[in-house]
C-alpha cells in the first residue's frame, strides 16, 4: 500500500469520508495537472478522469463521485450539457465548472444548468482544493462580485431566456417586500454580512430570508438566485465597472 493510500484510509477510519472527485477535461495535461494538485490532499480521492462530457456522464454513473471538476468546453458533449444531465440524473454529483476565461457566457450557462461553482483555470492550487471542498458542502464556489459581473454581462431579461429557465419570473409575486429587497441586494453582489448592515437586521435574519427566497423562487443556491434576479428584471444588466472588481 502506498503512503497516499494509507493516508486516505486513515482519514476514512477517523470518520471523515474522503471527497470523491471526477475530473473531466479534453486536454490530458490539464487532467493530469488537476489530479496532481488534488491527489496529495488526504481528504480528496480522484476516482476517474474523462476526456469529454459523454464520458464524464458514464464515469459518474459508475463511480458516483461527490464532485465533478468539469471543463466547460469539450468535444462530443460540452460541459454545460453534461452538467445539466448530471444535475437531473445524479444530483448528488455536484459540478465545479472550469473555464480558461473568467468572463465567459458559458460559465453562466453552466451555473444555470446546475453547477455549484466556477473556477478559472489559472486559479491557484489552494483555490482549487478550497472550491472542491466548498462544492462538496453544497455551497456556491464563486466570488459574489465575480458572479455579478458575469451575470450582468451575459444574462438577458426573461424574454430572452431559454424556455424552462425562467422559474423566478412567475414566482416573484409570492415574495414579501423585505424578501425582494434581500434578493436585490444579494443580486448586486453583497454577502450576508453586507446585506445585514444595509438593512439593519441580523445575519441570521438575512439567512432566514434567503432560505425563504430560494424556496419561493424554486432556485437551489445563490448563483441561480442572482441569475433569476437578472432574468426577471429585478436587477438591470450593465457593463462591468470598477466597483465590481474582485
Amino acid at each position: 500500500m502506498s503512503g497516499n493510500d494509507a493516508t486516505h484510509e486513515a482519514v476514512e477510519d477517523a470518520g471523515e469520508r474522503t471527497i470523491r472527485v471526477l475530473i473531466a477535461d479534453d486536454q490530458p495535461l490539464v487532467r493530469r495537472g488537476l489530479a496532481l494538485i488534488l491527489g496529495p490532499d488526504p481528504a480528496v480521492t480522484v476516482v476517474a478522469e474523462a476526456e469529454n462530457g459523454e464520458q464524464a456522464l458514464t464515469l459518474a454513473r459508475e463511480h458516483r463521485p461527490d464532485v465533478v471538476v468539469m471543463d466547460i468546453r469539450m468535444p462530443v458533449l460540452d460541459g454545460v450539457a453534461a452538467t445539466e444531465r448530471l444535475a437531473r440524473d445524479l444530483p448528488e454529483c455536484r459540478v465545479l465548472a472550469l473555464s480558461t476565461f473568467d468572463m465567459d457566457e458559458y460559465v453562466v450557462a453552466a451555473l444555470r444548468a446546475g453547477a455549484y461553482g466556477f473556477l478559472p483555470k489559472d486559479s491557484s492550487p489552494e483555490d482549487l482544493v478550497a472550491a472542491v471542498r466548498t462544492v462538496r458542502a453544497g455551497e456556491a464556489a464563486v466570488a459574489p462580485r465575480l458572479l455579478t459581473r458575469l451575470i450582468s454581462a451575459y444574462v438577458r431579461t426573461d424574454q430572452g431566456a431559454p424556455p424552462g429557465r425562467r422559474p423566478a419570473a412567475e414566482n416573484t409575486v409570492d415574495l414579501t417586500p423585505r424578501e425582494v429587497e434581500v434578493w436585490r441586494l444579494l443580486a448586486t453582489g453583497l454577502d450576508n454580512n453586507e446585506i445585514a448592515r444595509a438593512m439593519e437586521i441580523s445575519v441570521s435574519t438575512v439567512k432566514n430570508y434567503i432560505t425563504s427566497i430560494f424556496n419561493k423562487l424554486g432556485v437551489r443556491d445563490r448563483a441561480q438566485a442572482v441569475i433569476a434576479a437578472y432574468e426577471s428584471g429585478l436587477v438591470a444588466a450593465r457593463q462591468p465597472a470598477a466597483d465590481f472588481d474582485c
Side-chain angles (χ1 to χ4, degrees):
M1 179 186 299
S2 71
N4 209 34
D5 290 340
T7 303
H8 285 303
E9 285 195 6
V11 171
E12 292 188 344
D13 289 343
E16 299 177 13
R17 182 175 175 273
T18 59
I19 304 170
R20 295 167 56 80
V21 176
L22 186 156
I23 297 170
D25 194 291
D26 62 322
Q27 299 181 43
L29 285 177
V30 173
R31 292 198 304 273
R32 182 66 355 220
L34 293 172
L36 288 172
I37 290 170
L38 294 171
D41 191 316
V44 177
T45 300
V46 177
V47 296
E49 298 177 19
E51 62 185 25
N52 58 60
E54 194 66 53
Q55 190 177 73
L57 292 173
T58 299
L59 291 173
R61 294 187 186 100
E62 178 182 349
H63 294 278
R64 299 299 173 115
D66 300 303
V67 177
V68 179
V69 179
M70 182 89 73
D71 184 25
I72 291 178
R73 299 173 186 252
M74 291 186 290
V76 184
L77 185 70
D78 66 36
V80 174
T83 295
E84 185 167 24
R85 286 168 59 177
L86 274 176
R88 182 188 67 219
D89 300 338
L90 296 173
E92 69 276 11
C93 298
R94 294 167 177 163
V95 173
L96 173 63
L98 295 181
S99 176
T100 303
F101 307 103
D102 60 359
M103 293 299 290
D104 187 342
E105 61 186 311
Y106 286 90
V107 173
V108 174
L111 292 170
R112 186 188 282 117
Y116 271 76
F118 155 69
L119 208 62
K121 284 189 176 180
D122 61 357
S123 298
S124 70
E126 294 78 14
D127 285 345
L128 174 62
V129 173
V132 166
R133 290 173 177 269
T134 299
V135 167
R136 174 64 182 88
E139 301 172 7
V142 56
R145 284 175 175 78
L146 174 57
L147 174 64
T148 307
R149 287 174 59 204
L150 275 166
I151 292 169
S152 179
Y154 295 113
V155 171
R156 299 297 176 256
T157 60
D158 64 327
Q159 289 84 358
R165 294 295 174 202
R166 295 172 285 177
E170 296 132 15
N171 299 335
T172 54
V173 67
D174 296 328
L175 297 178
T176 67
R178 295 287 274 178
E179 287 171 343
V180 171
E181 180 61 12
V182 170
W183 185 27
R184 186 187 66 78
L185 293 173
L186 181 156
T188 61
L190 300 190
D191 62 26
N192 290 355
N193 290 324
E194 291 168 330
I195 294 172
R197 287 195 295 270
M199 297 186 65
E200 298 183 343
I201 57 178
S202 69
V203 174
S204 62
T205 300
V206 172
K207 290 179 180 178
N208 290 336
Y209 276 132
I210 289 175
T211 298
S212 177
I213 291 164
F214 288 2
N215 290 335
K216 290 181 178 180
L217 295 180
V219 300
R220 189 203 58 219
D221 57 27
R222 208 175 191 94
Q224 291 187 347
V226 176
I227 291 171
Y230 278 87
E231 289 183 340
S232 69
L234 177 69
V235 180
R238 69 178 192 178
Q239 291 300 313
D243 62 338
F244 278 81
D245 290 342
C246 298

